[in-house]
């Protein structure tokens, strides 16, 4: 069962790596922010699976903190960053 | 170690290196900030893999939550960035000394790490645990055995708030734009959850990972959310009450420390039969005060006081 949980966590971490590509490519700031949020949600799931594998109860607290703080970044983004800087001045090019 | 674990760690490490590189070298500031936030997220997972859930909790609450919000807000204030094509070439040349410095630094750090005494102080802490007044070794070190360090950490935070407040004005006072209608509704639902988890983490701190710093960070996150949704520091809270809230953690800490001098004969010596309750008082005061201090940092300046009857 432990291996099953770990394999699930590995699969989700692979998803994080894919989301990483979206953070790098953009093209708009909103794309990067949304993939960042996706990574946050995935990290919660990874932590829960690691809890299943290890049984360290503190991981549930870490997952709780992640879940509750996820709203934070996106609200700050909407209120503080987005209207002033709607499109990346990158022109959508990849690095 | 199972091959799945090895693959997991390798992928985690790879993603972290990519994100760290992006955080420093991305040509676009926003990309750098998002990379930094995601780096904080994966760092917390890495601490979990290293079986250090206390640090993972601190990293999750401070690194991934509040720092990201601070950076995003700063980015919003900076406005559209200007950058010339010259910067890239200059950066490549200036990389060489940094690379050399980094190599030397890593080598020295490795040498120092290898020369450290092997078992560390873990056994000494465990031996002293019965007199600590709490069940969690980490909390015992932070608030009892090495409470002096924690006191100074809170002092440093207070100094940062004082420095920032003397530099400028409350940022939010200048924003008049009304928030989207959904935002206040969302915050009304979320804010009680933030307060609840703050006190949950404070309570957890007595016997497991948790404690004042993560709890304070969560409280600050809730308060910042409320500020972003259009809430303002109430008029009657401005001035002296807010300053007391900012300095209250350090003040309570100092009173307990000096009280120990009077009751047990040494600075920060808790009488063992009262250690539990004293640590709880310090933890709650420090947690709430840290929350207010972090929010004060987000405000960027002291909220202007409405003076009545005085000039």
């Amino acid at each position: 069962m432990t291996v099953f949980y770990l394999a699930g966590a590995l699969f989700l971490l692979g998803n994080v790596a894919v989301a990483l590509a979206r953070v790098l490519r953009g093209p708009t700031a909103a794309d990067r922010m949304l993939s960042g949020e996706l990574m946050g949600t995935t990290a919660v799931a990874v932590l829960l699976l690691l809890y299943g594998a290890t049984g360290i109860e503190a991981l549930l607290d870490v997952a709780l903190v992640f879940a509750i703080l996820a709203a934070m970044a996106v609200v700050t983004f909407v209120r503080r960053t987005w209207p002033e800087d709607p499109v990346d001045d990158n022109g959508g090019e990849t690095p | 170690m199972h091959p799945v674990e090895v693959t997991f760690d390798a992928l985690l490490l790879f993603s972290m290196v990519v994100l760290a590189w992006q955080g420093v070298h991305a040509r676009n500031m926003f990309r750098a900030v998002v990379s930094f936030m995601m780096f904080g997220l994966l760092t917390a997972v890495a601490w979990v893999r290293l079986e250090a859930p206390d640090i993972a909790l601190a990293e999750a609450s401070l690194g991934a939550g509040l720092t990201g919000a601070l950076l995003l807000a700063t980015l919003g204030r900076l406005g559209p960035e200007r950058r010339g094509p010259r910067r890239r070439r200059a950066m490549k040349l200036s990389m060489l000394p940094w690379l050399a410095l980094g190599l030397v630094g890593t080598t020295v750090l490795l040498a120092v790490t290898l020369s450290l005494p092997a078992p560390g102080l873990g056994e000494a802490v465990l031996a002293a645990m019965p007199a600590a007044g709490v069940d969690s070794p980490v909390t015992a070190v932070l608030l009892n055995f090495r409470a002096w360090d924690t006191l100074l950490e809170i002092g440093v935070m207070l100094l940062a708030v004082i420095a920032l407040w003397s530099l400028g004005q409350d940022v939010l006072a200048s924003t008049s734009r009304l928030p989207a209608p959904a935002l206040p509704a969302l915050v009304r639902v979320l804010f009680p959850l933030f307060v609840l988890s703050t006190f949950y983490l404070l309570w957890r701190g007595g016997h497991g990972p948790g404690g004042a710093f993560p709890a304070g960070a969560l409280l600050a996150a809730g308060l910042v959310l409320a500020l972003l949704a259009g809430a303002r520091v109430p008029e009657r809270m401005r001035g002296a009450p807010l300053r007391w809230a900012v300095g209250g953690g350090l003040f309570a800490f100092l009173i307990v420390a000096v009280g120990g001098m009077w009751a047990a004969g040494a600075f920060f010596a808790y009488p063992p039969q009262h250690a539990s309750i004293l640590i709880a008082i310090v933890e709650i005061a420090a947690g709430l005060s840290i929350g207010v201090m972090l929010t004060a940092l987000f405000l960027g300046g002291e909220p202007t006081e409405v003076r009545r009857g005085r000039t």
Side-chain angles (χ1 to χ4, degrees), chain A residues 4-41:
Chain A
F4 173 74
Y5 284 132
L6 281 172
L10 179 63
F11 174 72
L12 287 174
L13 197 67
N15 271 344
V16 169
V18 175
L20 192 64
R22 184 46 75 190
V23 170
L24 301 190
R25 285 190 57 157
T28 66
D31 292 315
R32 303 186 202 282
M33 196 67 228
L34 278 177
S35 54
E37 287 295 304
L38 170 71
M39 281 166 92
T41 314

Side-chain angles (χ1 to χ4, degrees), chain B residues 228-274:
Chain B
L228 287 171
R232 290 293 168 265
V233 185
E235 300 264 313
R236 60 194 156 77
M237 276 292 292
R238 296 180 186 194
L242 193 59
R243 289 180 184 184
W244 273 104
V246 166
L250 191 70
F251 188 65
F253 222 145
L254 273 175
I255 284 189
V256 168
V258 174
M261 205 151 84
W262 171 72
F267 196 61
F268 262 125
Y270 304 138
Q273 68 272 29
H274 300 305

Side-chain angles (χ1 to χ4, degrees), chain A residues 6 10 13 20 24 29 32 36 39-40 58-59 61 66 68-69 72-73 76-77 79-81 84 88-90, chain B residues 5 8 19 22 28 30-31 37-38 41 48 53 69 72 76 172 177 183 194 197 200 204 209 218 221 228:
Chain A
L6 281 172
L10 179 63
L13 197 67
L20 192 64
L24 301 190
R32 303 186 202 282
M39 281 166 92
L59 298 195
D61 293 342
F66 267 149
I68 203 165
L69 284 178
M72 180 91 186
T76 319
F77 171 68
R79 288 284 289 145
R80 289 270 167 270
T81 322
E84 281 85 5
D88 274 7
D89 42 4
N90 205 4
Chain B
E5 280 182 82
F8 185 90
L19 281 170
Q22 281 296 318
N28 177 302
F30 184 76
R31 194 160 77 192
M37 287 163 67
M38 297 311 114
L41 212 73
V48 164
L72 278 177
L172 293 164
R177 191 154 36 90
L183 204 49
F194 275 94
S197 348
Y200 167 70
R204 268 301 273 182
L218 266 188
L228 287 171

Side-chain angles (χ1 to χ4, degrees), chain B residues 154 157-159 161-162 165 239-251 285-286 288-297:
Chain B
I154 294 176
M157 212 178 227
L158 185 63
L159 278 180
V161 172
I162 293 171
W165 274 15
L242 193 59
R243 289 180 184 184
W244 273 104
V246 166
L250 191 70
F251 188 65
L288 297 182
S289 185
I290 286 168
V292 178
M293 281 195 276
L294 289 172
T295 317
L297 287 176

